[in-house]
Amino acid sequence: MSILNENSNYSFRSYFELSNDTDEILAEFDYFFTRKRLQLPKTSREIDGLIELRNSIEETIPYVTLSSEAAKREILIAPVLSRVAVITKRLLRIEYPVKVNNLLQGNLDYLIQSQHSLIVIEAKRDDLTKGFTQLAVEMIAMATLEKSPDIIYGAVTMGDVWVFGILEQASRTITRDITSYTLPDGLEEIVKILVGILE
């Protein structure tokens, strides 16, 4: 039974709304889905501005209601990713439009490219499971573009919780990490992984 209608239009957000499991949706694109502990790259270098970033986040959290998606983006997600962009000297693209075909189209919340592409999306309605499904489809879209790297990394976040994933083109497999990282306590680890991916 096919889930997707090839004559219909789907945005990346559409995949968040589908009730099917991640593995079923990815099978529509001939990708396998696995869950395991990922050995993510992690930079060993000292991170400039990390203490200031931590202090800023910790000072701000008590005074901002983090009940809206916009608040989480501005207070928790964008400051981390903009710091990573500065450290790695890579361009951070926000709301980046991608259109492969009518099944793979929409805006990526955040995209940073080096020899590996890194996509970060915010999980709508604090649903990491459906958020990861949307992320996985966005990684598939990036993988179908010309000159795309063999490995594409992604992260889905609710702002305070981050979960990483990896797409491997050779095996047509997308793996969701069974580990999650939290802000503000796991800030250093999150930043070192993001920088490690892009170095």
Side-chain angles (χ1 to χ4, degrees):
M1 284 283 293
S2 182
I3 297 166
L4 304 178
N5 177 355
E6 290 192 7
N7 298 317
S8 296
N9 281 308
Y10 296 84
S11 69
F12 296 136
R13 178 77 186 249
S14 306
Y15 294 96
F16 182 91
E17 306 296 343
L18 292 175
S19 58
N20 305 80
D21 289 332
T22 306
D23 64 308
E24 296 176 311
I25 292 171
L26 299 192
E28 296 280 298
F29 299 99
D30 295 321
Y31 270 83
F32 301 102
F33 175 62
T34 63
R35 293 179 60 133
K36 66 180 183 185
R37 189 178 300 279
L38 289 175
Q39 296 300 314
L40 295 162
K42 201 180 289 186
T43 189
S44 55
R45 65 172 156 137
E46 286 295 307
I47 301 292
D48 292 333
L50 197 61
I51 293 166
E52 293 82 354
L53 179 59
R54 179 191 298 280
N55 290 344
S56 171
I57 289 171
E58 289 188 1
E59 282 173 4
T60 308
I61 286 173
Y63 302 105
V64 179
T65 57
L66 294 171
S67 52
S68 76
E69 291 170 6
K72 289 174 188 169
R73 276 199 306 269
E74 289 182 29
I75 303 303
L76 297 175
I77 304 170
V80 170
L81 293 177
S82 53
R83 185 76 235 153
V84 167
V86 170
I87 292 163
T88 58
K89 300 194 170 19
R90 297 286 174 182
L91 202 57
L92 171 61
R93 302 183 190 278
I94 301 171
E95 290 293 314
Y96 185 65
V98 172
K99 181 170 171 77
V100 176
N101 53 41
N102 63 320
L103 300 180
L104 295 169
Q105 60 186 335
N107 291 336
L108 309 180
D109 289 355
Y110 303 95
L111 173 67
I112 308 179
Q113 289 172 293
S114 62
Q115 71 270 28
H116 298 299
S117 289
L118 169 66
I119 301 168
V120 178
I121 75 158
E122 182 190 3
K124 312 293 181 275
R125 300 196 287 277
D126 287 348
D127 189 330
L128 283 172
T129 300
K130 290 188 172 208
F132 192 88
T133 301
Q134 180 182 336
L135 172 69
V137 173
E138 292 181 11
M139 290 197 290
I140 290 170
M142 288 300 293
T144 49
L145 296 174
E146 285 180 63
K147 299 181 183 167
S148 65
D150 293 333
I151 294 176
I152 294 171
Y153 290 90
V156 58
T157 177
M158 302 186 309
D160 55 347
V161 180
W162 293 60
V163 173
F164 287 89
I166 185 169
L167 177 150
E168 296 167 282
Q169 289 208 53
S171 60
R172 295 189 75 81
T173 302
I174 292 174
T175 304
R176 176 179 168 168
D177 197 353
I178 59 172
T179 307
S180 58
Y181 303 85
T182 58
L183 281 178
D185 293 349
L187 174 65
E188 182 173 1
E189 201 160 13
I190 292 167
V191 170
K192 287 196 163 190
I193 289 168
L194 293 169
V195 172
I197 288 168
L198 295 165
E199 277 183 329

